[in-house]
Amino acid sequence: MRPYLLKGHERPLTQVKYNREGDLLVSCAKNLQPCLWSAEDGRRIGTYEGHNGAIWTCDITWDSDRLITGSADQTVRIWDLPTGKELFQIRHREPCRAVKLSAGERFLAATSDAFIESPPAIHIYKFAENIEDQTATAAIEWTVPKGRVTRVFWTDCNRKLITSHDGGILRRWDVETGALLQEQQVHEDAIQDMQMSPDETHVITASLDKTARLIDVDTFEVMKTYKTGRFVQSAAISPLFDHVVMGGGQDASQVTTTAAQAGGFEARFFHKIFQEEFGRVRGHFGPINTVAFHPSGKSFTTGGEDGYVRLHHMDMDYFTTKFF
Amino acid sequence: MVQSEEYDPYEVAKQLYPDLPQGFPYDNFDLEELILPPGDDMGIKSDDDDVRDEDVQTQSGFGSCIVIQNLPKAPEEKYEKLMGVVRTIASKLGDVRENGIFMPLDDATKTTKGFAFVEMARKEDADAALSDERFINGYQLDKNHKLTLSRFDDFDKYAKVPDEYVQPEPVAYKQPENLHSWLADKYGRDQYVIRHGDNTAVCFNDGKRSRAEVAYQREYWTESFVQWSPQGTMLATMHRQGMAVWGGPNFTRINRFGHQNVRLIDFSPNEKYILSYTSHEPATARDSFHVLINVWDVRSGKQLRKFEGPVDEYAVGSSAGPNGALKWPVFKWAGGRDDLFFARLGRGKISIYECPSMTMLGKESLKLDGVQDFEWSPVEPVLAAYSAEQGNQPARIVLIKVPEKTEMRQKNMLNVSDVKLFWHPQGTYLAVKVEAWTKTKKSTITSFQIFCVKDKDVPLEVFELKNNKERVLNFAWEPKGHRFAVVHGDGPRPNISFFSMRDDKGRLGVRELKMLESRACNAISWSPQGRIIVLAGLKNFNGQLEFFNVDEMETMATAEHFMATDVEWDPTGRYVATVVSHVQQMENGVKIWSFGGRELYSSQRDKLYQFSWRPRMPSLLPAEKEAEIAKNLKQYTKRYDEEDEQLLQQADADVLQERQRALDEWKAYCESRRNYAALQMDFKRELYGPRFAEKEYTIQKVMVEQVVDQKEEPYSTK
């Protein structure tokens, strides 16, 4: 498997995301310009210029006409995805950590970190079809207990939100009232990433407790645990097979003190049901911060602390080998 | 809690914990949440309930209080004068606490009662005063008054002694558990203990089926580490109040030993005795750290002897670590089937103690000028000692038989810089690695003096490596046999050489067998059965492993356990464990290999603190029987081959069954969530309308022209 090595960022990657059809790939990093790539051959199509801080997260609309980014510069921005033009800016008083559009894209959920005096919070905005109607005032917002909100998803036909937190906790919220419905400790350390399964019945969480876990959306019951022995920064579920992939590695601040191999920077494939590892893909020379599966499950992308995005198309072996 | 009126939890908390920093309690703090309902332990078992009172001696209380008796009975007018006398006497005893002297008056006669209480600054001062030579036989104040000292607490103790003797109830006999049950395992499996996170687990290593089976596990079993007894009968756990030993099929507690804040322990080789060690802060600034070592009888739990003293008395020669610290174990046990002697190094002497009386052998230490190090033979009470060079006296290695204290053999050497002693595990040889200065005193030459202890008159073999100026990194005897391995070389990748003490006809003489050149190896580990050695490059060498057969002189396998920190053979020499312990940030876990270097299974354990195989007692088979079995091995193995085959099939079937179960479970889950998935899908279909229909996308090339910059510049004709 020869990956495309995409060099568009000089700083650590924070999130990579495919659009629904899987022809485009957006990468966000701690430098100021998110990039848009062709998911087929890794050509860079363009960048989105305007942010003034690290971009933590992004989301893409159903029709791939808008890109939403959340940044440490305390703004959430809406971009025209094909042209790279900035359309709208929602200004917070705090850095924005996670964004997610609701199904149907009438609403946008954004989470903000604690900053100076403000506690962390969740904000719900109306997401206007015509950009002229877009407002920067939240339809509803509420504060959450101490700690970072790392990812957010809409569930139960947009009635509820689930959020992952850096205390290893999952929380469920009522969207209309902001009431906390459920709280569950599922990891022993911070949850760094959470990704939804294609059928939206379960999520995979990646944690600094060196495991990734498969968790039922409805009950927050931990169904599977994938032990890696190293910090897990990101994990994704294959839409094609019963496979999951996870990335991570030694703490970035420690990397220079050891040999490259010692860091454990490979992307690791586990069988989703048997919880057994069956493959590794190496290449990054820093921890992997984010992984994403192509919507077809035939390729996947990793973004590392080293500033590179690696776009892998699976070899034939991957499809023909019976791993278990 | 009884509450009759409204209370503000903040105020209550502030009163309860006045020292807490600001900001506590937190905003959503509820005091009641902090208070455990009676009887609820939140799942955390406390060991405090089982601690016997006498185990714990409190530091506070009247410990620092002493009583001076036999004082004159003076009338009230002379009170101050007598007080002055008492003060002078008390000041001789040590630091007295301010207003620490109290001399009661008899209300009726208005005279003093003839005794005074003195409160010393510390308990240690009181201890010192009581053992003061001037007072120990009474202090002659004048002709009629001989003062004596007593500990205040003693009065209480003696007052409690009942006047009439009550015959103690005989304790009903309880059938003790079989402490060797693990040796009777049906499949002959060995056990290991693994400590990770808060959990301590004893597992059977089921190498044949490539898995481990937990025999017993418990959270918060120990507060620092666990330690097997030398023959594996017991497991010792460490606690604040002392240590406990556990054994039997369900690891019930066999005994415990009260030693506050115990730091380190050591068993005697036959598990009769256990030593525990703590060091204590000095009582005064000019004093040094104090060492306290207790000797206990394992079976009865009785304290047999106590060794106490300043640390520099104990940290001598090889027992001294860096910065004058103590190197454990301080006491070394003589080998043999009985625990007869143990000894420690002193300045210019070795103190040998006898068991079970715990008294010094022959009532005096063995004098050896300049003695730096000693080691007991592992099989008999013979000790080898090394004395350093002193003035005109050469350095000396001497073999001494105990209890006779006779010299069996000695050897003098000159210009010695360092000496290390290596006994063969079977006590047949003693190898002495000698580093001697060259004439220029700039470099050293390494040689080996090997005493053949079991041969007549203890012949001495001397040998050097071909390049005797090379650094020797490691030396290891083959546990059974006559061979040894030496790791040497100055480069980053050392060489490993194998030697034999005997030729094919059994005649003595060191013979080189083979040298393996430039290996990424910093640790060597012989199989307990000999023949096979694991060359491991731990830590910086990234966990390279080489399984080498010394009989055939061939490498059986090379492998890697990435970032491995330790290599440990199981006691039978069938399996090898490689461990990544918590000194590494990631990938903590254990891998189990066959002796031939085939990986059998691995187990990930985050925060892995300790791994150790359970030792076995020495084989009870006589040597001839063992030889006979080795000769007819085929016949013996035949019986087990079939059994192994069955086990393997069973294991495979088990794995398949487990997978099928997981698969079925997952299917059931998906089925149960189908409604929800369908609901979400319908919801989206409704929201997106016609856009929802999945269409194959086509790639369309669109050229978008964009004006990047526009500037007007006048055309210059220049």
Side-chain angles (χ1 to χ4, degrees), chain A residues 18-37:
Chain A
Y18 286 94
N19 67 343
R20 182 177 53 95
E21 289 98 335
D23 58 334
L24 298 172
L25 176 75
V26 174
S27 61
C28 306
K30 287 186 184 168
N31 71 347
L32 309 182
Q33 297 91 23
C35 293
L36 179 70
W37 312 86

PDB file of all heavy atoms in Angstrom, chain A residues 18-37:
ATOM      1  N   TYR A  18     -13.939  13.291   5.386  1.00  0.00           N
ATOM      2  CA  TYR A  18     -14.426  13.114   4.018  1.00  0.00           C
ATOM      3  C   TYR A  18     -15.796  13.737   3.903  1.00  0.00           C
ATOM      4  O   TYR A  18     -16.545  13.812   4.887  1.00  0.00           O
ATOM      5  CB  TYR A  18     -14.554  11.629   3.693  1.00  0.00           C
ATOM      6  CG  TYR A  18     -13.253  10.900   3.461  1.00  0.00           C
ATOM      7  CD1 TYR A  18     -12.621  10.224   4.498  1.00  0.00           C
ATOM      8  CD2 TYR A  18     -12.678  10.860   2.195  1.00  0.00           C
ATOM      9  CE1 TYR A  18     -11.449   9.537   4.287  1.00  0.00           C
ATOM     10  CE2 TYR A  18     -11.500  10.164   1.973  1.00  0.00           C
ATOM     11  CZ  TYR A  18     -10.879   9.504   3.025  1.00  0.00           C
ATOM     12  OH  TYR A  18      -9.731   8.826   2.792  1.00  0.00           O
ATOM     13  N   ASN A  19     -16.155  14.147   2.691  1.00  0.00           N
ATOM     14  CA  ASN A  19     -17.542  14.551   2.489  1.00  0.00           C
ATOM     15  C   ASN A  19     -18.387  13.298   2.287  1.00  0.00           C
ATOM     16  O   ASN A  19     -17.869  12.176   2.268  1.00  0.00           O
ATOM     17  CB  ASN A  19     -17.660  15.544   1.329  1.00  0.00           C
ATOM     18  CG  ASN A  19     -17.327  14.902   0.001  1.00  0.00           C
ATOM     19  OD1 ASN A  19     -16.709  13.835  -0.023  1.00  0.00           O
ATOM     20  ND2 ASN A  19     -17.713  15.532  -1.094  1.00  0.00           N
ATOM     21  N   ARG A  20     -19.689  13.472   2.133  1.00  0.00           N
ATOM     22  CA  ARG A  20     -20.584  12.313   2.112  1.00  0.00           C
ATOM     23  C   ARG A  20     -20.291  11.400   0.939  1.00  0.00           C
ATOM     24  O   ARG A  20     -20.248  10.183   1.072  1.00  0.00           O
ATOM     25  CB  ARG A  20     -22.043  12.774   2.065  1.00  0.00           C
ATOM     26  CG  ARG A  20     -23.047  11.647   2.092  1.00  0.00           C
ATOM     27  CD  ARG A  20     -24.455  12.196   2.122  1.00  0.00           C
ATOM     28  NE  ARG A  20     -24.681  13.150   1.044  1.00  0.00           N
ATOM     29  CZ  ARG A  20     -25.231  12.827  -0.129  1.00  0.00           C
ATOM     30  NH1 ARG A  20     -25.584  11.591  -0.384  1.00  0.00           N
ATOM     31  NH2 ARG A  20     -25.409  13.754  -1.052  1.00  0.00           N
ATOM     32  N   GLU A  21     -20.056  11.968  -0.219  1.00  0.00           N
ATOM     33  CA  GLU A  21     -19.818  11.135  -1.395  1.00  0.00           C
ATOM     34  C   GLU A  21     -18.422  10.525  -1.386  1.00  0.00           C
ATOM     35  O   GLU A  21     -18.188   9.529  -2.041  1.00  0.00           O
ATOM     36  CB  GLU A  21     -19.960  11.954  -2.685  1.00  0.00           C
ATOM     37  CG  GLU A  21     -21.376  12.355  -3.014  1.00  0.00           C
ATOM     38  CD  GLU A  21     -21.679  13.772  -2.573  1.00  0.00           C
ATOM     39  OE1 GLU A  21     -21.000  14.257  -1.639  1.00  0.00           O
ATOM     40  OE2 GLU A  21     -22.589  14.390  -3.154  1.00  0.00           O
ATOM     41  N   GLY A  22     -17.510  11.157  -0.661  1.00  0.00           N
ATOM     42  CA  GLY A  22     -16.175  10.592  -0.585  1.00  0.00           C
ATOM     43  C   GLY A  22     -15.244  11.048  -1.686  1.00  0.00           C
ATOM     44  O   GLY A  22     -14.198  10.437  -1.889  1.00  0.00           O
ATOM     45  N   ASP A  23     -15.580  12.102  -2.418  1.00  0.00           N
ATOM     46  CA  ASP A  23     -14.647  12.587  -3.432  1.00  0.00           C
ATOM     47  C   ASP A  23     -13.749  13.684  -2.877  1.00  0.00           C
ATOM     48  O   ASP A  23     -12.730  13.995  -3.466  1.00  0.00           O
ATOM     49  CB  ASP A  23     -15.399  13.082  -4.679  1.00  0.00           C
ATOM     50  CG  ASP A  23     -16.381  14.194  -4.359  1.00  0.00           C
ATOM     51  OD1 ASP A  23     -16.836  14.237  -3.199  1.00  0.00           O
ATOM     52  OD2 ASP A  23     -16.698  14.997  -5.251  1.00  0.00           O
ATOM     53  N   LEU A  24     -14.142  14.260  -1.738  1.00  0.00           N
ATOM     54  CA  LEU A  24     -13.351  15.357  -1.180  1.00  0.00           C
ATOM     55  C   LEU A  24     -12.917  15.041   0.245  1.00  0.00           C
ATOM     56  O   LEU A  24     -13.562  14.255   0.946  1.00  0.00           O
ATOM     57  CB  LEU A  24     -14.188  16.650  -1.161  1.00  0.00           C
ATOM     58  CG  LEU A  24     -14.658  17.173  -2.517  1.00  0.00           C
ATOM     59  CD1 LEU A  24     -15.618  18.325  -2.303  1.00  0.00           C
ATOM     60  CD2 LEU A  24     -13.478  17.588  -3.373  1.00  0.00           C
ATOM     61  N   LEU A  25     -11.827  15.661   0.608  1.00  0.00           N
ATOM     62  CA  LEU A  25     -11.276  15.464   1.945  1.00  0.00           C
ATOM     63  C   LEU A  25     -10.859  16.820   2.486  1.00  0.00           C
ATOM     64  O   LEU A  25     -10.181  17.575   1.800  1.00  0.00           O
ATOM     65  CB  LEU A  25     -10.052  14.543   1.834  1.00  0.00           C
ATOM     66  CG  LEU A  25      -9.273  14.273   3.105  1.00  0.00           C
ATOM     67  CD1 LEU A  25     -10.042  13.300   3.981  1.00  0.00           C
ATOM     68  CD2 LEU A  25      -7.916  13.693   2.772  1.00  0.00           C
ATOM     69  N   VAL A  26     -11.301  17.133   3.699  1.00  0.00           N
ATOM     70  CA  VAL A  26     -10.891  18.386   4.324  1.00  0.00           C
ATOM     71  C   VAL A  26      -9.965  18.046   5.484  1.00  0.00           C
ATOM     72  O   VAL A  26     -10.232  17.115   6.243  1.00  0.00           O
ATOM     73  CB  VAL A  26     -12.105  19.174   4.843  1.00  0.00           C
ATOM     74  CG1 VAL A  26     -11.654  20.407   5.615  1.00  0.00           C
ATOM     75  CG2 VAL A  26     -12.993  19.572   3.690  1.00  0.00           C
ATOM     76  N   SER A  27      -8.852  18.771   5.597  1.00  0.00           N
ATOM     77  CA  SER A  27      -7.952  18.546   6.726  1.00  0.00           C
ATOM     78  C   SER A  27      -7.796  19.837   7.518  1.00  0.00           C
ATOM     79  O   SER A  27      -7.640  20.906   6.936  1.00  0.00           O
ATOM     80  CB  SER A  27      -6.590  18.052   6.233  1.00  0.00           C
ATOM     81  OG  SER A  27      -5.990  19.012   5.404  1.00  0.00           O
ATOM     82  N   CYS A  28      -7.864  19.719   8.827  1.00  0.00           N
ATOM     83  CA  CYS A  28      -7.673  20.871   9.715  1.00  0.00           C
ATOM     84  C   CYS A  28      -6.418  20.643  10.533  1.00  0.00           C
ATOM     85  O   CYS A  28      -6.125  19.515  10.925  1.00  0.00           O
ATOM     86  CB  CYS A  28      -8.822  21.002  10.705  1.00  0.00           C
ATOM     87  SG  CYS A  28     -10.412  21.060   9.950  1.00  0.00           S
ATOM     88  N   ALA A  29      -5.722  21.716  10.804  1.00  0.00           N
ATOM     89  CA  ALA A  29      -4.478  21.585  11.563  1.00  0.00           C
ATOM     90  C   ALA A  29      -4.305  22.797  12.445  1.00  0.00           C
ATOM     91  O   ALA A  29      -5.150  23.693  12.473  1.00  0.00           O
ATOM     92  CB  ALA A  29      -3.296  21.442  10.616  1.00  0.00           C
ATOM     93  N   LYS A  30      -3.202  22.809  13.167  1.00  0.00           N
ATOM     94  CA  LYS A  30      -2.957  23.926  14.060  1.00  0.00           C
ATOM     95  C   LYS A  30      -2.433  25.141  13.297  1.00  0.00           C
ATOM     96  O   LYS A  30      -2.246  26.191  13.888  1.00  0.00           O
ATOM     97  CB  LYS A  30      -1.977  23.515  15.160  1.00  0.00           C
ATOM     98  CG  LYS A  30      -2.633  22.583  16.179  1.00  0.00           C
ATOM     99  CD  LYS A  30      -1.721  22.306  17.333  1.00  0.00           C
ATOM    100  CE  LYS A  30      -2.342  21.309  18.301  1.00  0.00           C
ATOM    101  NZ  LYS A  30      -1.369  20.813  19.261  1.00  0.00           N
ATOM    102  N   ASN A  31      -2.125  24.991  12.009  1.00  0.00           N
ATOM    103  CA  ASN A  31      -1.842  26.203  11.247  1.00  0.00           C
ATOM    104  C   ASN A  31      -3.171  26.817  10.819  1.00  0.00           C
ATOM    105  O   ASN A  31      -4.241  26.284  11.114  1.00  0.00           O
ATOM    106  CB  ASN A  31      -0.892  25.939  10.073  1.00  0.00           C
ATOM    107  CG  ASN A  31      -1.562  25.149   8.985  1.00  0.00           C
ATOM    108  OD1 ASN A  31      -2.636  24.593   9.192  1.00  0.00           O
ATOM    109  ND2 ASN A  31      -0.947  25.109   7.821  1.00  0.00           N
ATOM    110  N   LEU A  32      -3.144  27.911  10.114  1.00  0.00           N
ATOM    111  CA  LEU A  32      -4.370  28.707   9.995  1.00  0.00           C
ATOM    112  C   LEU A  32      -5.265  28.340   8.819  1.00  0.00           C
ATOM    113  O   LEU A  32      -6.377  28.814   8.730  1.00  0.00           O
ATOM    114  CB  LEU A  32      -4.007  30.200   9.924  1.00  0.00           C
ATOM    115  CG  LEU A  32      -3.059  30.667  11.034  1.00  0.00           C
ATOM    116  CD1 LEU A  32      -2.789  32.146  10.910  1.00  0.00           C
ATOM    117  CD2 LEU A  32      -3.615  30.342  12.408  1.00  0.00           C
ATOM    118  N   GLN A  33      -4.758  27.511   7.872  1.00  0.00           N
ATOM    119  CA  GLN A  33      -5.549  27.247   6.676  1.00  0.00           C
ATOM    120  C   GLN A  33      -5.967  25.787   6.566  1.00  0.00           C
ATOM    121  O   GLN A  33      -5.125  24.934   6.300  1.00  0.00           O
ATOM    122  CB  GLN A  33      -4.761  27.603   5.404  1.00  0.00           C
ATOM    123  CG  GLN A  33      -4.392  29.059   5.275  1.00  0.00           C
ATOM    124  CD  GLN A  33      -3.032  29.378   5.874  1.00  0.00           C
ATOM    125  OE1 GLN A  33      -2.186  28.499   6.017  1.00  0.00           O
ATOM    126  NE2 GLN A  33      -2.827  30.634   6.243  1.00  0.00           N
ATOM    127  N   PRO A  34      -7.235  25.490   6.759  1.00  0.00           N
ATOM    128  CA  PRO A  34      -7.713  24.146   6.432  1.00  0.00           C
ATOM    129  C   PRO A  34      -7.525  23.918   4.931  1.00  0.00           C
ATOM    130  O   PRO A  34      -7.571  24.868   4.149  1.00  0.00           O
ATOM    131  CB  PRO A  34      -9.184  24.179   6.806  1.00  0.00           C
ATOM    132  CG  PRO A  34      -9.340  25.352   7.709  1.00  0.00           C
ATOM    133  CD  PRO A  34      -8.292  26.337   7.298  1.00  0.00           C
ATOM    134  N   CYS A  35      -7.307  22.652   4.531  1.00  0.00           N
ATOM    135  CA  CYS A  35      -7.089  22.348   3.119  1.00  0.00           C
ATOM    136  C   CYS A  35      -8.195  21.462   2.583  1.00  0.00           C
ATOM    137  O   CYS A  35      -8.745  20.629   3.315  1.00  0.00           O
ATOM    138  CB  CYS A  35      -5.756  21.623   2.927  1.00  0.00           C
ATOM    139  SG  CYS A  35      -4.335  22.632   3.277  1.00  0.00           S
ATOM    140  N   LEU A  36      -8.465  21.618   1.307  1.00  0.00           N
ATOM    141  CA  LEU A  36      -9.406  20.746   0.611  1.00  0.00           C
ATOM    142  C   LEU A  36      -8.617  19.934  -0.393  1.00  0.00           C
ATOM    143  O   LEU A  36      -7.823  20.478  -1.164  1.00  0.00           O
ATOM    144  CB  LEU A  36     -10.470  21.589  -0.099  1.00  0.00           C
ATOM    145  CG  LEU A  36     -11.512  20.803  -0.893  1.00  0.00           C
ATOM    146  CD1 LEU A  36     -12.441  20.044   0.038  1.00  0.00           C
ATOM    147  CD2 LEU A  36     -12.324  21.737  -1.795  1.00  0.00           C
ATOM    148  N   TRP A  37      -8.804  18.604  -0.367  1.00  0.00           N
ATOM    149  CA  TRP A  37      -8.048  17.702  -1.225  1.00  0.00           C
ATOM    150  C   TRP A  37      -8.990  16.849  -2.038  1.00  0.00           C
ATOM    151  O   TRP A  37     -10.119  16.585  -1.630  1.00  0.00           O
ATOM    152  CB  TRP A  37      -7.185  16.749  -0.396  1.00  0.00           C
ATOM    153  CG  TRP A  37      -6.374  17.379   0.688  1.00  0.00           C
ATOM    154  CD1 TRP A  37      -6.789  17.644   1.957  1.00  0.00           C
ATOM    155  CD2 TRP A  37      -5.010  17.810   0.612  1.00  0.00           C
ATOM    156  NE1 TRP A  37      -5.769  18.206   2.686  1.00  0.00           N
ATOM    157  CE2 TRP A  37      -4.665  18.318   1.887  1.00  0.00           C
ATOM    158  CE3 TRP A  37      -4.049  17.808  -0.405  1.00  0.00           C
ATOM    159  CZ2 TRP A  37      -3.400  18.820   2.171  1.00  0.00           C
ATOM    160  CZ3 TRP A  37      -2.791  18.301  -0.107  1.00  0.00           C
ATOM    161  CH2 TRP A  37      -2.476  18.814   1.158  1.00  0.00           C
TER     162      TRP A  37
END
